[in-house]
């Protein structure tokens, strides 16, 4: 299923810059950055729960926030993209 992850980390607070780097690094492990604080992740339900727990344990819930938009498996009709980076379908095979 496709999950859109957005986050806002208070970098002016103590440890904020480190939390921001950790959140971004963890998101890169699961998906593709489409904007600075936005990732598209193609995960199953078990991976999503593990991913959520990792991110929730990184952030300071008093100052930071993370949003998970679960678009499901039929996301191709729900996402439109214009301008900017070339669109990459994360469900396509990856050839190295």
């Amino acid at each position: 299923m496709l999950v859109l992850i957005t986050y806002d980390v208070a970098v002016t607070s103590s440890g904020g810059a480190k939390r921001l780097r950790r959140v971004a690094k963890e998101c890169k492990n699961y998906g593709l950055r489409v904007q600075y604080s936005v990732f598209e992740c193609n995960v199953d339900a078990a991976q999503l729960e593990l991913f959520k727990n990792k991110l929730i344990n990184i952030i300071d819930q008093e100052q930071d926030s993370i949003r998970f938009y679960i678009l499901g498996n039929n996301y191709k009709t729900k996402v439109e993209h214009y301008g900017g980076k070339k669109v990459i379908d994360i469900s396509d095979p990856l050839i190295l």
Side-chain angles (χ1 to χ4, degrees):
M1 77 181 102
L2 182 69
V3 179
L4 188 72
I5 315 280
T6 66
Y7 56 88
D8 187 21
V9 176
V11 294
T12 56
S13 69
S14 175
K18 183 178 179 180
R19 288 192 314 274
L20 177 64
R21 285 190 304 273
R22 289 180 63 206
V23 167
K25 184 178 178 182
E26 197 61 47
C27 288
K28 285 180 187 177
N29 290 335
Y30 284 87
L32 176 69
R33 176 178 261 151
V34 293
Q35 292 185 354
Y36 290 116
S37 297
V38 181
F39 282 79
E40 290 179 352
C41 304
N42 199 353
V43 294
D44 61 32
Q47 289 172 320
L48 178 58
E49 285 308 309
L50 180 65
F51 185 28
K52 275 185 185 179
N53 288 329
K54 287 180 180 180
L55 292 178
I56 290 168
N57 287 320
I58 293 171
I59 67 166
D60 177 341
Q61 292 188 42
E62 297 294 319
Q63 301 180 62
D64 309 331
S65 68
I66 298 178
R67 290 179 176 245
F68 298 87
Y69 297 92
I70 301 169
L71 300 176
N73 292 321
N74 297 320
Y75 62 88
K76 290 185 181 189
T77 61
K78 299 174 186 173
V79 177
E80 294 182 19
H81 176 263
Y82 304 96
K85 298 178 187 176
K86 179 183 172 193
V87 177
I88 297 171
D89 187 346
I90 60 176
S91 64
D92 284 346
L94 177 63
I95 300 171
L96 298 174

